[in-house]
Amino acid sequence: MADKQRILVVDDDESIAELVSLYLTKECFQTEIAYDGEAALAAFKEFNPDLILLDIMLPGIDGYEVLREIRKTSATPVIMLSAKGEVFDKVLGLELGADDYVMKPFDSKELVARCKAVLRRTAATSQPKQNNNEAPNALSGECVEYDDLVVNKSNYQVIYKGVKLDMPPKELELLYFLAVNPNRVFTREQLLDKIWGYEYVGDTRTVDVHVKRLREKIKDGANWTLSTVWGVGYKFEVS
């Protein structure tokens, strides 16, 4: 029997944390609970979760800071939980590397469905697939290479100017997808569908946030650039 997937539940409200853990356990997940930021970071190292449900409002170290610390060393998917509903809070979570954002109060079935969807997408990134429309410069093993840039989806690495970059799953998927389809323009809606999947409940600002983060890490190459097509979307432009 395959090992159960592990989910770390981080929430200072014990009743919410235990209820979420109960629902996940019924769905055959193995869970661990942490009630504050320090405990969350310790549990992350010891429990080695496949997914983290992370509340923003935590005593001591808040959820944003916990996410910052995790992203320094790991691309483990994170779903943010919060009673806050402002666009700023959602965008900040995404900018820091969150994979999804769920507002309280939430429906337990929806939360479980979100967890399963994120885990499926994460598993898909680690399994090589045959891409019949792959560009001629795409290498075997889901790896594409340009001057000063190598994006390897098989071992989840990005090498830029000879240096390995730390990059969360969705950023790498987005960069890889655009890079293996050079000079093709994709709308934000198309990118949401291709990278996040039809099950993703979000808006097109998610794409803008991830492109912004990519541009902060990777500058234009001598013969390639991650371009904005105003009023339409984005493309990986190669000259």
Side-chain angles (χ1 to χ4, degrees), residues 90-104:
K90 295 180 180 179
V91 171
L92 178 57
L94 291 170
E95 285 183 335
L96 292 176
D99 296 84
D100 203 349
Y101 193 107
V102 178
M103 287 179 55
K104 298 178 181 179

Side-chain angles (χ1 to χ4, degrees), residues 54-56 63-64 67 78-82 93 98 100-103:
L54 179 60
D55 187 32
I56 291 177
Y64 292 134
L67 180 56
V78 175
I79 299 177
M80 303 296 288
L81 306 177
S82 177
D100 203 349
Y101 193 107
V102 178
M103 287 179 55

